Amino acid sequence: MIEVDGVSKVYRAVEREPGLSGALRSLWNRKTRDVAAVTDLHFSVAAGEAVGLLGPNGAGKTTTLKMLTGLLHPTTGRLRVAGHRPQDREVAFLGSIALVMGQKQQLIADLPATDTFLLHRALYDLNRTTWRATVDELVEALGIGEEVSRPVRTLSLGQRMRCELAVALLHRPTVLFLDEPTVGLDVEVTVALRAFLARYRARTGATLVLTSHDMGDVGALVERILLVDRGRLRFDGPIDGFRARFGSGRRLVVRGADLALNDLGFVLEGAQRWVATVPVAEANGLLARVLQRHPAADLTVHDPPLDEVLAAAFGEGRRT
């Protein structure tokens, strides 16, 4: 479904000295330098697969997503999405994809979402009966029956994002690109959106590519991780493989009243929850010390959470 073969994206940045004199000199003697946003990416995504494109800020995630949707052209390399070159922006290609960006909107602020639904039907030349059935299905599934008739500017962020998803899915795309879809949303709305997207993919078999800094999104929606750092692909594999590669430790959680574990390296989270992440070789010894001090404590051992694993992966990349 998606093929990325040796893709790079290089921008030409203008450099100038500060102040008015620097601005004037740059008019006649402009200095530029090449900045590589993405370098020699190679990966493929099968039809129906759910992939998380992860990395720190400035890693090249959004640039990659924009090239996959045809908004940017690669400097070198070859891209194929659903059998098309994205940069050609063919009608058939645009009808097969959808892009949802949490920090940008396609809805018109002063109009209700229903007007954008009508515009979407015209732009994609959708059959009226099929379009109407899809609208009703999405409105019910997303719980936006009242919101779609109100001006978009009067909606909360969570309501607007649900309407954005409805618009993006009206033409039933086979490839769905999500860029930080839950950014800024409260917990209740975030959980609801994740559940909807998981059900939608299970029902339609759509291919999903997600970028997010919220590891809850990643854990709930994707099965495979592509880790990009400084424009280069550093890891490509399943989530379990990602944990095994970068999550070299155990997370100990101790619950109980009147505990004092800070001297053992634990951090208090909430009122009665002490947490520590330690190397595997040290886990048993620390468990014994905790139980010796508090025999009745409720103690569990887990793999480190995904956000800690990701932070470790970023740190290793910077050291490398």
Side-chain angles (χ1 to χ4, degrees):
M1 183 60 72
I2 297 175
E3 295 287 340
V4 178
D5 184 12
V7 168
S8 299
K9 180 63 179 178
V10 178
Y11 294 98
R12 178 153 295 178
V14 176
E15 294 183 331
R16 71 172 180 83
E17 298 173 10
L20 178 60
S21 60
L24 292 174
R25 276 195 294 271
S26 70
L27 293 176
W28 288 276
N29 185 23
R30 177 166 296 185
K31 297 179 180 179
T32 63
R33 64 184 178 92
D34 289 340
V35 178
V38 171
T39 304
D40 196 28
L41 285 187
H42 293 265
F43 65 85
S44 61
V45 179
E49 197 172 6
V51 173
L53 184 62
L54 309 183
N57 289 329
K61 307 183 301 297
T62 301
T63 296
T64 301
L65 214 60
K66 288 182 175 179
M67 288 192 291
L68 289 172
T69 54
L71 297 176
L72 291 176
H73 292 203
T75 305
T76 59
R78 186 180 69 89
L79 287 171
R80 302 291 291 182
V81 176
H84 303 272
R85 283 203 329 159
Q87 58 264 43
D88 293 339
R89 304 285 286 176
E90 297 168 330
V91 172
F93 167 72
L94 296 176
S96 68
I97 69 163
L99 172 62
V100 178
M101 306 183 77
Q103 301 186 44
K104 297 183 183 295
Q105 68 179 54
Q106 56 182 321
L107 297 170
I108 303 171
D110 293 321
L111 299 177
T114 49
D115 284 14
T116 305
F117 293 171
L118 288 166
L119 177 61
H120 201 84
R121 185 182 73 81
L123 288 174
Y124 287 87
D125 193 24
L126 302 176
N127 174 274
R128 181 180 292 274
T129 302
T130 304
W131 168 82
R132 183 72 262 172
T134 305
V135 169
D136 293 342
E137 176 188 349
L138 291 171
V139 166
E140 180 179 0
L142 289 164
I144 50 175
E146 297 181 2
E147 288 81 359
V148 294
S149 299
R150 292 162 45 192
V152 171
R153 57 180 170 77
T154 67
L155 303 178
S156 69
L157 180 59
Q159 292 167 340
R160 181 181 67 78
M161 277 307 301
R162 282 182 282 182
C163 291
E164 292 279 358
L165 267 177
V167 172
L169 299 176
L170 279 178
H171 60 288
R172 301 189 178 186
T174 56
V175 185
L176 182 57
F177 297 99
L178 304 174
D179 187 19
E180 301 282 359
T182 63
V183 64
L185 302 183
D186 62 39
V187 174
E188 182 179 1
V189 176
T190 296
V191 170
L193 282 182
R194 289 172 185 162
F196 167 78
L197 287 167
R199 290 194 304 269
Y200 178 85
R201 178 173 162 261
R203 187 177 73 253
T204 64
T207 304
L208 187 148
V209 179
L210 166 77
T211 72
S212 180
H213 287 99
D214 188 331
M215 292 302 100
D217 291 349
V218 176
L221 295 174
V222 310
E223 302 144 352
R224 172 183 162 203
I225 288 178
L226 299 170
L227 180 63
V228 179
D229 194 5
R230 299 185 180 182
R232 295 182 179 274
L233 186 65
R234 296 192 52 243
F235 177 87
D236 179 358
I239 288 184
D240 289 345
F242 182 72
R243 289 183 185 277
R245 169 70 175 79
F246 297 105
S248 57
R250 291 291 182 269
R251 185 175 177 87
L252 280 59
V253 180
V254 184
R255 296 177 177 84
D258 302 322
L259 301 180
L261 300 175
N262 53 301
D263 61 316
L264 297 181
F266 284 82
V267 175
L268 184 62
E269 293 183 355
Q272 300 182 6
R273 187 172 183 267
W274 292 84
V275 177
T277 301
V278 298
V280 174
E282 299 177 13
N284 287 339
L286 184 57
L287 286 172
R289 296 172 67 186
V290 171
L291 291 174
Q292 183 178 19
R293 182 181 299 184
H294 302 287
D298 177 8
L299 195 152
T300 56
V301 181
H302 311 274
D303 288 331
L306 198 54
D307 53 354
E308 286 189 13
V309 178
L310 192 64
F314 293 167
E316 180 177 313
R318 292 294 183 251
R319 290 191 297 273
T320 302

